[in-house]
Amino acid sequence: MEKTNQLNMPKTHLRLSILLLCLYVALPALAQRLVVGITVDQMRWDALHRYEHRFTKGGFKRLMREGTEWTMCQIPYLPAVTAVGHASIYTGAVPAMHGIVSNSFTVNGFYGTSVVDTTEHILGGSSHRHGASPRRLLSSTIGDELRMASAGKSRVISMALKDRAAILPGGHGANLALWWDEKAEQFISSSYYGKSLPQWVKDFNAERNDQKLLAQGEWPAQLMYPADTYLHSRDTLAELPVGKGMFATPWGATLTLQLASRALQAEQLGQRKHVTDMLCISISSTDAISHNVGPDSPLMEDVYLWLDRALEQFFIQLDRQVGKGQWLCFLTADHAGQHTPRYREINGQPALEFRSGDALDAVRTALTRRFGAEAARCATYMSSFRMTIDEDLALSLGLNPCEVIDEACRALEQMPMIQYAFDVRRIPSHVPAWLAQMNVQGYHPGRIGTLAVIPRIGVSGAMNYNYPKRGTSHALWTPDDTHIPLLMMGANVPRGKRISETVSICDIAPTICQMLNIQQPSAATGRCLLPL
């Protein structure tokens, strides 16, 4: 009997070893109990390293130390603006496919924001003219695929100060999206997600955490460090007023991450067995402040230092509540941003401002000269360097729409600040193919103007007519606007690795989905960046 037991022992050990090996192999998939997506609005890639010397060990540096950084993440479409970027990150698709072509656009003849929905109403906050939902988004998102793969068991929560930055990342099936009502000074939502705000959100609003943060001290009068020690920034003087409230202070980021922390607790995100949840967080105040002072101001350096510390605290809470190594995080941006014209000017760089009104006037003058006064009405609107020509109106006036558009293009290209103007459906041979492709990938029929306008290098959109050359803009093809950070950290992500290969904002969703072993979103065109 003893001999038989001795003979069986190796087999027992073998079975145990095989079982342990299977469990080890399965651990990475099981360890990803929570996916955290963080989008920093208007964050340029160089901000990650420009201020690195003052970052804490547990914020941005932790992502770089314990994760992987792609140093050449690019946006492959135009325009590079907030709603489009958030949709592209979470769908893995370009605007031509996911349909979010700008912050505001036309659908079935109705012009509105990317998330406007007249069939819904706002939950909480002050009165609003219209409700909001993700219905203008044509593709599924990471969260949508996660919920479908789990038969609805996974929970997807999304939040930001901006409505579009909260609604679009969560997708069609999100359990909840929350954004900030500046007038009511509280987080609100939409009837799309339920009949009322969850009690934990009401409790969070009632605590007035925003006022507690604002009470820390006057900003920007009181910075984290003495102003003369911000050596990697330069005060451009006569900057636009920063403003007040959550959008205009670093506390907007802190408040958003505090809300995310409360969601972790209240919704038990990442804390249920055999279920992966998702938390989508967008930091909106970075965009609002940079629009006013530009990315080179000491104020923006201070904003990133405060954000870094808020991230450190949030990551600590994730470790405690979800478990260290059991959550997967990516951090990126919806778009970057240009140096202010004033900053370029004092550094000897071309610094011109383009005004959409001037372009419309030039086109209307040219159309009147050739086709008559009524033809001027065909040039209806211009936004994010796209002009809309009313082709139905042209036909009703007995004009050939193609001839009207061609005349508009000629008038635009005669303007000193404009290099190219073309119809994205009929691209002339003198336009570089890569530039044409960026515009085609940003075009969805019936939602955005067909006439693309490409300014010359050194030209940017005017931010505020009362403060010439102050403030920054974005929407162009240049690296200022399209080179964004991309960091990932978690199970199966190489530690401390930097990859210089050019990748796309559209590669994020396919990568996350493959790491979760779920299908990629329905319109995804990107690729997976990491091996399994």
Side-chain angles (χ1 to χ4, degrees):
M1 188 71 177
E2 183 178 350
K3 184 176 181 180
T4 304
N5 288 339
Q6 289 176 345
L7 289 173
N8 287 335
M9 281 179 64
K11 293 182 180 179
T12 302
H13 289 163
L14 179 61
R15 292 191 190 100
L16 181 59
S17 299
I18 292 173
L19 177 60
L20 290 173
L21 179 61
C22 290
L23 288 172
Y24 176 79
V25 171
L27 270 176
L30 292 175
Q32 296 163 1
R33 294 181 178 178
L34 177 67
V35 180
V36 180
I38 302 174
T39 306
V40 184
D41 204 324
Q42 202 183 135
M43 185 176 183
R44 293 162 54 106
W45 169 77
D46 57 349
L48 197 61
H49 300 282
R50 192 173 185 178
Y51 314 129
E52 184 178 356
H53 65 293
R54 275 183 164 167
F55 286 156
T56 64
K57 292 182 179 180
F60 288 113
K61 280 186 177 179
R62 178 176 176 183
L63 286 168
M64 291 185 279
R65 183 178 65 254
E66 297 183 12
T68 294
E69 176 191 358
W70 285 266
T71 63
M72 286 295 290
C73 186
Q74 303 285 342
I75 291 174
Y77 54 76
L78 291 174
V81 295
T82 297
V84 187
H86 282 83
S88 297
I89 290 167
Y90 285 89
T91 64
V94 294
M97 295 293 104
H98 63 59
I100 304 299
V101 292
S102 190
N103 289 331
S104 297
F105 51 89
T106 300
V107 174
N108 298 325
F110 176 73
Y111 183 83
T113 72
S114 56
V115 294
V116 67
D117 190 338
T118 58
T119 68
E120 302 291 349
H121 63 270
I122 295 299
L123 302 178
S126 57
S127 60
H128 290 257
R129 185 178 179 185
H130 297 305
S133 82
R135 289 193 175 101
R136 286 191 164 201
L137 179 65
L138 302 179
S139 170
S140 65
T141 62
I142 302 171
D144 289 331
E145 296 299 330
L146 182 61
R147 280 181 55 76
M148 287 190 283
S150 67
K153 297 181 181 66
S154 295
R155 297 191 64 76
V156 176
I157 309 290
S158 186
M159 59 197 60
L161 296 184
K162 293 182 181 180
D163 56 358
R164 56 187 177 270
I167 293 171
L168 296 172
H172 299 274
N175 299 90
L176 182 64
L178 297 164
W179 59 96
W180 184 251
D181 185 324
E182 190 75 0
K183 184 177 180 180
E185 297 182 331
Q186 64 182 43
F187 282 100
I188 62 175
S189 190
S190 166
S191 57
Y192 179 88
Y193 302 100
K195 295 181 180 180
S196 64
L197 286 175
Q199 188 59 48
W200 66 265
V201 180
K202 295 178 182 178
D203 293 342
F204 184 88
N205 285 332
E207 292 168 10
R208 295 312 308 266
N209 294 285
D210 59 317
Q211 294 302 312
K212 295 174 184 176
L213 289 167
L214 291 171
Q216 292 181 132
E218 291 293 326
W219 191 90
Q222 189 174 338
L223 302 179
M224 184 179 293
Y225 295 98
D228 59 359
T229 67
Y230 288 71
L231 303 179
H232 291 264
S233 304
R234 181 172 181 175
D235 193 342
T236 56
L237 303 176
E239 296 166 319
L240 276 68
V242 177
K244 297 180 179 181
M246 288 296 101
F247 279 94
T249 71
W251 322 136
T254 306
L255 184 68
T256 305
L257 288 167
Q258 285 180 349
L259 182 69
S261 296
R262 186 65 61 85
L264 280 175
Q265 299 169 351
E267 301 286 348
Q268 292 292 294
L269 300 179
Q271 298 163 65
R272 296 171 296 148
K273 291 183 178 180
H274 311 300
V275 176
T276 300
D277 298 317
M278 185 164 195
L279 183 58
C280 310
I281 305 166
S282 183
I283 306 300
S284 305
S285 51
T286 45
D287 178 78
I289 298 170
S290 186
H291 270 307
N292 282 336
V293 302
D296 307 290
S297 168
L299 305 189
M300 280 310 299
E301 181 172 350
D302 200 62
V303 168
Y304 280 109
L305 297 182
W306 283 109
L307 172 59
D308 176 65
R309 283 149 180 78
L311 287 172
E312 180 181 44
Q313 294 304 309
F314 181 61
F315 292 159
I316 290 172
Q317 184 177 2
L318 285 170
D319 287 340
R320 288 173 179 168
Q321 292 192 221
V322 181
K324 193 169 184 178
Q326 297 186 20
W327 49 277
L328 172 66
C329 177
F330 68 85
L331 184 146
T332 187
D334 51 347
H335 56 77
Q338 302 159 18
H339 300 290
T340 66
R342 173 61 180 153
Y343 189 78
R344 294 201 302 264
E345 189 174 67
I346 63 179
N347 283 280
Q349 304 299 313
L352 297 172
E353 283 191 310
F354 174 82
R355 300 187 178 192
S356 297
D358 294 342
L360 280 169
D361 289 344
V363 169
R364 286 166 179 165
T365 298
L367 295 181
T368 298
R369 185 186 306 116
R370 179 169 176 186
F371 302 110
E374 286 295 301
R377 294 191 292 120
C378 293
T380 60
Y381 186 73
M382 184 169 183
S383 178
S384 299
F385 299 98
R386 284 288 181 91
M387 185 176 289
T388 299
I389 301 295
D390 190 333
E391 297 182 38
D392 291 335
L393 177 58
L395 287 171
S396 70
L397 296 173
L399 303 175
N400 184 328
C402 291
E403 292 180 2
V404 173
I405 292 173
D406 289 343
E407 185 63 27
C409 290
R410 280 190 289 271
L412 289 167
E413 288 192 344
Q414 288 174 8
M415 297 181 70
M417 293 188 187
I418 295 177
Q419 185 166 1
Y420 301 113
F422 55 90
D423 186 338
V424 295
R425 302 164 301 181
R426 298 181 295 118
I427 300 170
S429 59
H430 69 279
V431 177
W434 58 267
L435 184 57
Q437 183 70 3
M438 289 184 74
N439 282 276
V440 170
Q441 293 189 149
Y443 173 71
H444 189 91
R447 293 194 167 196
I448 194 171
T450 65
L451 204 165
V453 178
I454 311 298
R456 297 185 184 279
I457 300 299
V459 176
S460 58
M463 278 304 301
N464 191 314
Y465 292 177
N466 295 323
Y467 296 86
K469 297 190 176 182
R470 271 71 174 181
T472 193
S473 183
H474 54 84
L476 299 177
W477 67 267
T478 56
D480 282 19
D481 288 355
T482 57
H483 185 189
I484 58 176
L486 175 57
L487 296 155
M488 290 187 188
M489 177 178 72
N492 286 350
V493 179
R495 294 172 61 94
K497 189 172 183 180
R498 299 186 76 199
I499 300 175
S500 60
E501 175 190 8
T502 298
V503 300
S504 166
I505 192 174
C506 299
D507 297 333
I508 299 171
T511 302
I512 298 299
C513 288
Q514 184 159 317
M515 295 177 76
L516 297 177
N517 292 320
I518 62 174
Q519 184 59 273
Q520 57 188 309
S522 55
T525 56
R527 62 192 177 95
C528 183
L529 300 178
L530 291 172
L532 290 178

